[in-house]
Structures are given as structure tokens and as C-alpha cells.
Amino acid sequence: IVSLVPSITETLFALGLEEALVGRTAFCIHPRDRVKRVRSVGGTKRINTTKLHAIAPTHVIVNIDETPKPLADSLNEAGYTVIVTHPIEVEDNRALFTLLGGLFGRVDQAHALCQAFDAAMADLAEVAATLPERRVLYLIWKDPWMTVSAETYVAKMLGQVHWRVIGGDGAVRYPEIPLNDRLLSEADLVLFSSEPFPFVDRHIADFRSAHPRHAHKARTIDGEMTSWYGVRAIAGLRYLATLAESTRQMASAR
């Protein structure tokens, strides 16, 4: 198997498919202690086809959001079995586990992941039942500023704790936005994701300096926990429960 999707690569390890995984992207960084043993064939958008052909995989896993269609088409034309993934709803993780487990003979391991996922969903639902709805501006890029629309996996994850994304019209999945007072006034929270743009504390400080009226709304958020589906979603659901609860406590203390 060659995986061109970082979150899928991590999930293949969780399914016990390490020996079958012969190729990955440079952005496949989990599990950190084991993934470096797998050969990199390039990025998620562009790969080194010479390296991939040399590996001679039977299956290549791609994703609609991350893999350009011409690349997926070229892999299919080259004779590889191309597995296309596209989780949108959080619940799609169950089907993803089942698909991969069924294809690669890891049915029991897939069932165990489904059970762990269901437990995390149930625990989060218990926490979410006590949380108010909040309007969230989720930032993924700067220069230009970009956010996520309501029909993305990230938005569906945030929706599990009643955080509703704003800033997009739905026609574009990852729209460019003006970071102005009008938009910020609509937001209860402004979340700076750690990926794909690596927002860190200094960006929060810059935002607070530039927009003092909205300084209290700014938070960093672990983008892997909200945008990586597969096995990472299990940890992501628990992360969101803790984050939402701590955010509510901070809001109550103001």
C-alpha cells in the first residue's frame, strides 16, 4: 500500500498494516516513532512517480480534498488500484475503518477502532449536552486569511460541541475572508489552527494587538485533532470535549 493521505497513513498503522505500507508522503508524520521507516514518495499534491513505480504498490490511497484529480487519474491509468476516500461527516470514520479493514484483512482491528470511536462519541455527547452554541471563526491560513465552510469535515467536528463556523457562504469549501471588525463581531471565538498554516502564540499576540476589542476571543487549536479523520478522530473527540469545557469556564470567569 502507498498512502498519500497523512491521516490514513496513521490509521493503517493502527490497523496493524505496517508491513504492508510501502510508501507515504513527507507529510505523513504519525506515528512518529515508526512512520520514518516507510519510504516517502513526495507530497500530497505532487509525488515522485519514479519512486512510486520503483516501490510497485498494488494499492494507492488518495483523498478528494488532498489529492489533485489528475494525479489520482494518472495512478489509475498506470494500473494501480486507487482507493478514494472523502470523509465529511464525523460518523464517516466508522465506514472508513470498516472499508480499510475489509480491504486489507483487518476486520477485527477495524471493529476495535469502531468501538473506541463510538465510546469517544458518546463521552463527547454527554459533555456537549451542557454546552451552549457558539459562533466560531476557524482560521487555516494568512496572507490571505482563509477559513472553512460549513460543509467540511473540520466544521462537522466542531459541530459536535455546538461550535458553528462562520465566514463562508458554502459555495467554496475553504474561502478567503477579510479579517475585519464586521466579521469578528459575529464570532464568539476566533480559532487559529496549527495546520495547514502553523499558527502559534505569536500570531495570537499579533491578533490581540491589532484587534483589541476581540482579543479575548482568540485561541490556538490543534488542527490535527479537528481535521485528521481515521484513528486521530478518536483522540480528537476527547480533545474537543476538554477544549470546549475549558473555553466555557474561561468565558464564565470573564
Side-chain angles (χ1 to χ4, degrees):
I1 308 167
V2 166
S3 170
L4 302 183
V5 191
S7 55
I8 296 289
T9 299
E10 182 182 32
T11 302
L12 294 174
F13 275 90
L15 287 167
L17 288 162
E18 180 173 355
E19 295 303 317
L21 185 63
V22 295
R24 63 174 176 93
T25 75
F27 298 100
C28 297
I29 58 174
H30 294 299
R32 293 187 186 278
D33 59 337
R34 295 152 65 194
V35 75
K36 290 182 180 179
R37 302 171 194 167
V38 182
R39 187 175 184 181
S40 171
V41 296
T44 56
K45 309 296 184 188
R46 297 177 63 185
I47 64 170
N48 185 317
T49 54
T50 300
K51 287 183 178 180
L52 186 137
H53 296 330
I55 293 171
T58 55
H59 296 74
V60 182
I61 304 177
V62 301
N63 174 263
I64 285 179
D65 273 345
E66 298 190 48
T67 311
K69 189 175 185 300
L71 172 57
D73 289 342
S74 70
L75 293 169
N76 184 61
E77 291 165 3
Y80 303 113
T81 298
V82 178
I83 302 167
V84 181
T85 61
H86 188 45
I88 296 178
E89 302 292 339
V90 179
E91 291 80 1
D92 291 345
N93 282 291
R94 294 189 192 91
L96 181 64
F97 298 142
T98 301
L99 171 68
L100 296 175
L103 282 172
F104 301 120
R106 295 294 187 274
V107 174
D108 291 344
Q109 292 90 335
H111 179 65
L113 289 183
C114 286
Q115 288 184 312
F117 175 80
D118 287 342
M121 284 284 281
D123 290 345
L124 179 58
E126 192 172 317
V127 172
T130 67
L131 298 173
E133 180 175 299
R134 313 196 89 180
R135 295 163 298 177
V136 173
L137 181 61
Y138 186 97
L139 299 174
I140 60 170
W141 203 259
K142 70 186 296 288
D143 299 327
W145 292 104
M146 295 178 68
T147 186
V148 299
S149 77
E151 294 306 314
T152 57
Y153 179 83
V154 170
K156 304 296 186 179
M157 276 290 282
L158 296 176
Q160 301 302 305
V161 291
H162 308 309
W163 288 0
R164 180 171 58 85
V165 297
I166 64 170
D169 61 6
V172 180
R173 290 173 63 76
Y174 304 102
E176 295 182 14
I177 56 168
L179 197 65
N180 54 32
D181 191 70
R182 179 179 178 180
L183 180 58
L184 293 173
S185 294
E186 297 178 17
D188 299 309
L189 292 171
V190 181
L191 301 178
F192 290 75
S193 177
S194 62
E195 65 168 50
F197 188 93
F199 286 112
V200 292
D201 288 345
R202 67 180 176 84
H203 296 109
I204 298 290
D206 291 344
F207 171 84
R208 288 173 174 163
S209 176
H211 305 280
R213 286 186 54 217
H214 307 284
H216 64 283
K217 301 177 181 179
R219 307 275 191 285
T220 54
I221 188 169
D222 187 335
E224 290 180 1
M225 293 297 186
T226 55
S227 65
W228 283 40
Y229 38 83
V231 68
R232 179 67 47 160
I234 298 170
L237 292 167
R238 300 196 183 283
Y239 169 83
L240 273 178
T242 300
L243 181 65
E245 180 59 35
S246 65
T247 301
R248 177 177 64 175
Q249 292 175 2
M250 291 176 65
S252 298
R254 288 190 69 250

